[in-house]
Amino acid sequence: MKDKILAESAKLLWKYGVRTITMDDIARRLGISKKTIYLHFSDKEDIVYQAVKHHIEHEMIECDRVMCLDMNPIDEMLLVSDMMRRQADAINPSLLMDVQRYYPKAWAFFLDHKEKRIINDIKANLKRGVEQGFYRSDINLDTMARLRVELVQLGFDDRIFPNNKDVKDVIATQEQLLHHFIRGILTEAGFATYNERVKSFN
Amino acid sequence: MKDKILAESAKLLWKYGVRTITMDDIARRLGISKKTIYLHFSDKEDIVYQAVKHHIEHEMIECDRVMCLDMNPIDEMLLVSDMMRRQADAINPSLLMDVQRYYPKAWAFFLDHKEKRIINDIKANLKRGVEQGFYRSDINLDTMARLRVELVQLGFDDRIFPNNKDVKDVIATQEQLLHHFIRGILTEAGFATYNERVKSFN
């Protein structure tokens, strides 16, 4: 039952936002009583925390799967855009900002994951790209890896991009930022590959 | 006397940081009593606010002067890096972060200036660059102008770039971010001009 509550809660929270969804909404959706939910979770904060944790752990498995494919570093970078488009309907654009503002425990888990995992994955991508001649050798790997992570967060921040009214706008902003980031690190050889890939992506 | 206090205070605050400098330091530097300072300023917060305000207003005049020169948009963008290197000795890397954290009134003035002025100046630069064929026509001017402003702030943030130990590191980070930003928006014609300029800058 706990897994089922977590899975359905996550769907609701991602889609409608962590501020909108109440314990009543979750109970109604599952056709169970709130009392049953409280058997497994102490409060809404606990559900949000466990849903974020579960999502991140699942995402890590996905990432490992992609990296096993040993693809071109540029393709790997572009995959983010692909993933975002596929998940568009399921994710509320204010999710990241709301978790940051109102759910400190879940946010701390995300920050820790960002420090330990995401930055290293991006750094590994950048390092491979430089070695294979796609990315410029004069980029600072630490600075650029940190920049890439921060850009994703910026792109979700409606204080910085007030024109982001709905999911479509947020994705457009994220894609501008992603493509701009990639272009900024490419060598001439990298540009040739990138231009080819972008053509086939659209 | 007020102008003199403000000018000397600004030098101290910029160089040693707004947290380090006390009213005693300012009085000592000017060889006056604190009582004299309190004739003109209500407290340290007031000095920081007026120093930030004066600095920004002075900077606006400088910016107007540069823009009157009607220079190439790429050169105009690269000037930031030039200015930063010249001011390196005078500015404490934690200044922007400390004002944000501890001086809400001065920070509000900066934010207002950012909204009303900096973003528009950058947007004008981007627009000219697109019109003149240096920048890609598919960039979103609003998104890219906002990104450029946020990058400067990010580059000063020691929580995001913990390797920024001193002014030299901060400048190196800012230059990575600036050049990466410019590269990300260039057309092929833009790259030719940029490569030429970068050669002559070093």
Side-chain angles (χ1 to χ4, degrees), chain A residues 136 138-140 142-144 146-147 150-151 154 160-163 176-177 180-181 183-185 191, chain B residues 136 138-140 142-144 146-147 150-151 154 160-163 176-177 180-181 183-185 191:
Chain A
R136 291 183 289 122
D138 62 346
I139 60 171
N140 180 309
D142 283 309
T143 305
M144 287 296 126
R146 291 236 159 224
L147 172 62
E150 293 307 317
L151 287 176
L154 277 187
I160 293 171
F161 296 104
N163 292 338
Q176 275 271 322
L177 297 177
H180 173 264
F181 177 83
R183 286 178 159 269
I185 58 176
F191 260 107
Chain B
R136 291 183 289 122
D138 62 346
I139 60 171
N140 181 309
D142 282 311
T143 305
M144 287 296 128
R146 292 233 159 227
L147 171 61
E150 293 306 317
L151 287 176
L154 276 188
I160 294 171
F161 296 105
N163 292 338
Q176 276 271 322
L177 298 177
H180 173 265
F181 176 83
R183 286 179 160 271
I185 59 176
F191 261 107

Side-chain angles (χ1 to χ4, degrees), chain A residues 127-143:
Chain A
K127 196 162 171 286
R128 275 201 304 130
V130 170
E131 284 163 3
Q132 297 176 21
F134 294 114
Y135 304 156
R136 291 183 289 122
S137 58
D138 62 346
I139 60 171
N140 180 309
L141 298 183
D142 283 309
T143 305

Side-chain angles (χ1 to χ4, degrees), chain A residues 21-37:
Chain A
I21 294 301
T22 63
M23 295 298 252
D24 284 310
D25 294 325
I26 296 170
R28 204 174 307 122
R29 167 73 154 247
L30 284 152
I32 58 178
S33 69
K34 278 205 284 183
K35 216 174 133 192
T36 311
I37 300 180

Side-chain angles (χ1 to χ4, degrees), chain B residues 3 27 47 51-52 55 61 74 79 81 115-116 127 137 195:
Chain B
D3 289 347
I47 296 193
V52 166
H55 179 78
I61 298 167
I74 296 176
L79 260 190
S81 157
E115 268 322 301
K116 293 205 180 116
K127 196 161 170 287
S137 58
N195 287 332

